[in-house]
Each structure stands twice: as C-alpha cells, then as structure tokens.
C-alpha cells in the first residue's frame, strides 16, 4: 500500500469543507485542506470590492443558520474571534404605501404586528419554534428514521406544501408578503413543493437565533473555523486548485467540498458508470446577479422598520414576488425582480469609513444569465427608498458567469450547489440513504450539494465526515450533536 502523507484531504475551504476537516481532526486524524484560491472561506469571504475601507461580503451575509447550527454551537468559535451582531429588526419587507412588515426576534411582537393574521401566524410558527431543538437534527441532516417522529411529521405536513398553498392561511399583505420573501430564498417558483419548508425554517430561525451578521464580515466565520482547525493541528494550503486526483497527495480518504459537476471532472474515472450517470443528472437551479455598493450615507428607506433591519426583502406584494420568481424560472428577466438586500454597516461600524455605508444585494436570474440587472435592482430599491441612487459612491457587480469564475461551486450562478426542490431535498446528489458516500471507497462529497443543502451551517461537512470516519477508519464521530 502507498505510504500516506495525511489521513484525510478535504478539497475546498468553504464552511462545509472546514466543518468536515474539524470533525475529522477532532477524531485524531491528520487532515489537510486544499483550497484553490489564495484566501480561505468559499461562500464566507469578505473583501474591499469597491473602495478602500469598505468591507463587502462577497457571498453570504446573514447568518441565522450559522448561529443555529448544531455543529457550530459545539465549537469554540467565539474564542477564535467570531462575534455576531443582531440588528433591532431581523428582516423587513416594504410596501408601496410606505409601510413595512417586520420579522422580529420576538414571536409575539411579530404576530402582534400582523393584525388579523396574528392567530394564524402564531398557530403556524409557535409549534415549530417550540419543537425546533428536537427537529433540528432531523431537518438539518440526511434522511433517516427521525429522532422525534411526531414533531417532524407535524412540521412536515406544513413544510412540504408549496408557498402558494401556505399563503392561503393569511389575509393581510404584511403576512403574505413576509411569507413570499422567506419562500423566495428557496430560489424556485413559489408553487414548488418545499418552498414552504425553506420559509418556515428561516422564519423560525429568526425567532430562535435572530438574523445576525458577523462582526467584521462573513470572513470572520471562515477565519474562526480555520483558526480552530489549525489549533487542533490541521493544515490548510491555499492556491492549490485540484484539477485531477493526481493533484491530491497520498491519503486514505478525500472529501470534496465541491458540486457533482466538478467531482465528475476531477474523479469521474474513479467512479462507477452508474454513479457517474446519476451525477450527470444532478440539477442546478436559477443563478444570482449580485451587487455591492459603497454609499455616502444610509439607505433612505421610507419605512422605519427597514432602516432598523439587517435584511430587507424587496419585491412588494406576495403576488408580485411570486410572479417575479416564476418568470425568472421560466428563463426571463422580470422588470421588477425580487431582491435580497443587507445593510451590514448600519450595525457594524467596521464595515465602512465613518459616516459612510455598504449595501449588499442580489436578485435571481436564469441559470447562466449574463444580463446586467443593475438598473432593475436599483430601480426596485429606489421604489422603497427614494434618493438611494444619489448615495452611491461606487458599485461592484457579478453576473452568473463571474460568480462561477469566482467560485467554481456556483454552477451557472446557482449559489445553493444545486436546486433544493422535492427531487433533491434529501436525495442530493443521488438517491441513496448515505448521500455523502460515492461509488468509490475513500471518496466522499461534503458540500452543499448534500443534505441539508445551501447555507452557512457546516452540517453537510459534519455528516460527510461522520460517514468518512465510520467507513474509512471504523471510528465514531467525536462531536455529538444534541
Ligand atoms: C451571493 C451569495 C449570497 C449568499 N447569502 C447567504 C446568506 O446570507 N446566508 C447563508 O447562510 N448562505 C448564503 N449563501 C450560501 C452559502 O454561501 C453557501 O451555501 C455555502 O458557502 C456553501 O458552503 P460549501 O462549503 O458547501 O461550499 P463553498 O462555500 O462554495 O466552498 C467551496 C470552496 O471550494 C473551493 N474550490 C472549488 N473548486 C476547487 C478545486 N477544484 N480545488 C480546490 N478548491 C476548490 C472554492 O474556492 C471554495 O473556497 C450565499 C451565497 C452566495 C453566492
């Protein structure tokens, strides 16, 4: 047998790659992370994209799933410099009449603000929030017999609905609009099954963990994970693009923090023809067009709730958002796209020079689109914040091709590592009870193309490492999630 330099290699230093690496290193293995770029972090990098002194989150910005991650909760990330900031309002949703709906940390305050939908909101959200600690391991892991089957079954009844059905429980534009904005995070038409699941998880996360931003930028999450991993003896090498298995030093197991398309390109000749065919059928979803701005002042939102919120869902009524998402899924570029916007510098002074501000936004576009959406996005923001454009000092944009060029995991601009619809919710990347295993012993996949999917929570990496420890080393996982 060839001499191994390290016990395990992780390809890619995104949050899932680093989480897998930590889990393996904690089990006593020697682990090497190979990262293509000169900096670590994948979807959790921050940089001065516009002007000196303006720190922008290149990808992820808002982190309820990181704070709520059963894995991250067990890691000493605060000791490694990670600090979260909670804006007064988790997420706001403006309307044309100058008012806005608001998701607040308090379930009762949020329900109270929804008028005649108060009871319907409480009836829907209160059981999920109450049972979440028991639900989390089942919702944030692979398909298996649930630890809390009754709680999961009652959550599943609502979660498997399309948002178009769930919205019928609400009458007010506020509750309906909030639901649309949450469901649109699924990056698919709101008539798809599972769009309610994404909406319910994100809304419940707001009541459980708020919607925080990391002090200093999302890079702080990557830095804390990497710092902890290195404190355990783990090694990271940057500038190491893996093009084939020959680029990986001798080792017992390899975990790829990559999506099926890249796994096929790098290790296709090592995989069975059946597994290769299954990966070739893996589906990617809509892409994103992203903008970061350096601003001369805060965004002049008309509604006060928007000025206090870290995240703003811009798109108007439920019907307007549902239409925009449907049109985008049909390959069009709607005049009034749905926009996710974050204004980190309002709550974190380290993001911009004194008196200046940053803003972060993206809208969904057809996969592979190269259409410039700057005008459409800025017009939508101006609709709810007249005078916004006058505050722009500089902007940085990325279309889907540039997104994929920046991080090869964003195939056609898909930021979730593949569409999270009913066909790929638990069975990503292929239909099997152990989706982290490939057809080849020693080769595993640990990216957001595995359950539970996109978002910065590290749970894909944790579960993949767990399987790799069992299959490759006969070792139990060292970190037990409650
Ligand atoms: C614009 C945008 C906004 C987002 N907003 C949020 C948000 O607010 N909150 C949230 O929770 N999530 C958000 N996300 C999603 C989140 O960033 C991802 O789901 C998450 O980063 C996935 O983590 P990962 O570890 O699976 O992969 P990635 O983070 O994609 O990491 C993969 C790593 O592998 C490296 N790599 C790729 N190919 C190779 C190769 N051949 N050799 C070596 N290294 C390689 C890449 O450089 C990268 O560092 C957003 C994403 C984007 C793009």
């Amino acid at each position: 047998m060839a001499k191994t330099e390290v016990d395990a290699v992780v390809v890619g230093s995104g949050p899932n790659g680093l989480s897998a690496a930590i889990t393996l290193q904690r089990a006593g293995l020697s682990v090497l992370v190979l990262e293509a770029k000169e900096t670590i972090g994948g979807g959790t990098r921050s940089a001065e994209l516009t002007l000196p002194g303006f720190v922008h989150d290149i990808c992820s910005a808002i982190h309820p799933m990181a704070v709520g991650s059963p894995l991250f909760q067990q890691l000493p990330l605060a000791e490694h410099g990670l600090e979260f900031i909670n804006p007064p309002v988790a997420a706001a949703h403006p309307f044309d009449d100058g008012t806005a709906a608001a998701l607040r940390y308090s379930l009762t305050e949020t329900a109270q603000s929804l008028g005649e939908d108060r009871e319907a909101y409480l009836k829907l959200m209160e059981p999920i929030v109450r049972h979440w600690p028991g639900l989390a391991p089942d919702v944030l892991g692979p398909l298996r017999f649930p630890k809390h089957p009754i709680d999961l079954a009652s959550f599943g009844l609502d979660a498997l609905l399309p948002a178009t059905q769930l919205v019928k429980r609400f009458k007010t534009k506020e509750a309906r609009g909030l639901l649309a904005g949450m469901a649109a995070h699924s990056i698919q038409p709101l008539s798809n099954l599972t769009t309610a699941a994404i909406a319910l998880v994100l809304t419940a996360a707001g009541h459980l963990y708020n919607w925080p931003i990391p002090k200093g930028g999302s890079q702080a999450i990557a830095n804390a994970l990497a710092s902890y991993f290195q404190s355990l003896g783990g090694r990271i090498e940057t500038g190491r693009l893996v093009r084939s298995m020959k680029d990986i030093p001798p080792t017992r197991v390899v975990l790829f923090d990559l999506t099926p398309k890249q796994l096929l390109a790098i290790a296709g000749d090592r995989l069975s023809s059946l597994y290769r065919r299954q990966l070739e059928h893996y589906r990617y979803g809509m892409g994103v067009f992203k903008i970061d701005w350096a601003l001369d002042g805060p965004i002049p939102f008309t509604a006060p709730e928007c000025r206090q919120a870290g995240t703003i869902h811009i798109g108007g009524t439920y019907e307007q958002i549902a239409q925009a998402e449907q049109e985008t899924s049909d390959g069009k570029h709607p005049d009034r796209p749905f926009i996710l916007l974050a204004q980190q510098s309002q709550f974190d002074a380290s993001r911009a020079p004194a008196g200046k501000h940053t803003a972060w936004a993206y809208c969904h576009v057809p996969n592979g689109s190269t259409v410039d959406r700057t005008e459409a996005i800025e017009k939508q923001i101006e609709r709810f914040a007249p005078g916004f454009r006058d505050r722009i000092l500089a902007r940085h944009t990325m279309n889907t091709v540039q997104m994929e060029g920046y991080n090869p995991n964003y195939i056609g601009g898909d930021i979730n590592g593949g569409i999270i619809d009913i066909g790929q919710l638990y069975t990503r990347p292929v239909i099997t009870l152990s989706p982290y295993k490939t057809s080849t012993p020693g080769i595993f996949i640990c990216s957001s193309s595995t359950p539970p999917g996109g978002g910065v929570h590290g749970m894909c990496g944790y579960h993949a490492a767990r399987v790799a420890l069992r299959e490759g080393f006969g070792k139990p996982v060292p970190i037990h999630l409650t």
Side-chain angles (χ1 to χ4, degrees), residues 30 41 50 62 73 100 157 175 198 247 280 293 303 335 344 350 362 385 417 432 472 478:
S30 62
T50 54
I62 307 293
Q73 284 171 356
L157 286 178
I198 310 264
D247 296 327
E280 280 158 7
W293 294 274
D335 291 342
Q344 297 92 322
S350 73
Y362 65 86
T432 161

Side-chain angles (χ1 to χ4, degrees), residues 186-211:
S186 64
I187 322 188
Q188 51 189 307
L190 304 199
S191 53
N192 277 13
L193 296 174
T194 73
T195 47
I198 310 264
L200 293 176
V201 168
L202 287 175
T203 308
H207 295 311
L208 287 153
Y209 311 113
N210 227 318
W211 276 28

Side-chain angles (χ1 to χ4, degrees), residues 139-384:
V139 175
L140 299 176
L143 195 60
R144 59 186 168 192
F145 190 77
K147 288 190 173 151
H148 299 86
I150 295 173
D151 292 348
L152 188 66
S154 66
F155 168 72
L157 286 178
D158 289 330
L160 286 177
L161 291 172
T164 42
Q165 283 297 320
L166 199 62
V167 75
K168 291 181 183 163
R169 298 190 194 172
F170 297 120
K171 297 187 184 73
T172 61
K173 74 172 188 311
E174 286 79 11
R176 293 168 62 87
L178 268 187
L179 175 65
M182 299 295 165
H185 280 257
S186 64
I187 322 188
Q188 51 189 307
L190 304 199
S191 53
N192 277 13
L193 296 174
T194 73
T195 47
I198 310 264
L200 293 176
V201 168
L202 287 175
T203 308
H207 295 311
L208 287 153
Y209 311 113
N210 227 318
W211 276 28
I213 56 170
K215 188 171 180 186
S218 291
Q219 184 75 52
I221 298 178
N223 291 352
L225 287 167
S227 164
Y228 176 53
F229 171 60
Q230 287 165 325
S231 77
L232 298 171
R235 278 167 51 211
I236 302 176
E237 291 180 13
T238 55
R240 292 285 305 270
L241 173 68
V242 172
R243 289 189 184 84
S244 79
M245 291 300 283
K246 291 193 195 111
D247 296 327
I248 298 172
T251 184
R252 284 176 66 180
V253 300
V254 186
L255 288 84
F256 286 96
D257 186 17
L258 311 181
T259 85
K261 193 172 172 189
Q262 299 126 286
L263 181 61
L264 279 167
I266 294 169
D269 57 349
R270 308 269 180 114
L271 306 172
S272 75
S273 55
L274 172 66
Y275 187 73
R276 262 199 327 262
R277 266 202 308 282
Q278 287 176 303
L279 288 188
E280 280 158 7
H281 284 105
Y282 188 72
R283 290 172 295 118
Y284 294 92
M286 296 189 245
V288 304
F289 182 91
K290 164 101 194 304
I291 311 190
D292 289 280
W293 294 274
L295 301 172
D296 204 12
I299 304 179
F301 281 111
T302 308
E305 291 86 349
C306 293
R307 297 198 291 269
Q308 296 182 317
T311 306
I312 303 78
H313 289 160
I314 296 179
T317 63
Y318 175 88
E319 288 72 18
Q320 289 169 338
I321 293 171
Q323 185 183 342
E325 292 303 283
Q326 183 61 57
E327 282 181 21
T328 311
S329 170
D330 293 342
K332 299 179 189 146
H333 295 84
D335 291 342
R336 290 180 150 192
F338 169 68
I339 292 155
L340 282 128
L341 183 142
Q343 42 184 10
Q344 297 92 322
S345 62
Q346 288 275 75
F347 314 100
D348 179 0
S350 73
R351 306 285 189 109
K356 310 287 182 209
H357 284 279
T358 60
W360 164 111
Y362 65 86
C363 74
H364 303 147
V365 290
N367 191 283
S369 162
T370 51
V371 174
D372 186 342
R373 299 298 281 154
T374 306
E375 174 70 14
I377 290 178
E378 291 182 355
K379 241 170 122 178
Q380 277 286 65
I381 299 171
E382 193 77 25
R383 178 176 161 198
F384 303 103

Side-chain angles (χ1 to χ4, degrees), residues 7-10 17-32 229 232 253-255 461-462 464-470 473 475 477-479:
D7 295 319
V9 170
V10 177
L18 292 173
S19 296
I22 287 169
T23 308
L24 296 169
Q25 190 76 32
R26 280 250 308 231
L29 270 55
S30 62
V31 184
L32 170 66
F229 171 60
L232 298 171
V253 300
V254 186
L255 288 84
Y462 169 78
R466 195 167 182 245
V467 177
L469 281 171
R470 194 181 58 222
F473 302 90
K475 277 184 176 245
V477 66
I479 308 169

Side-chain angles (χ1 to χ4, degrees), residues 119-128 158 166 169-170 200:
E119 286 308 315
Y121 186 81
L122 286 176
K123 196 169 165 213
L124 179 65
M125 293 311 305
E126 196 274 336
I128 302 173
D158 289 330
L166 199 62
R169 298 190 194 172
F170 297 120
L200 293 176

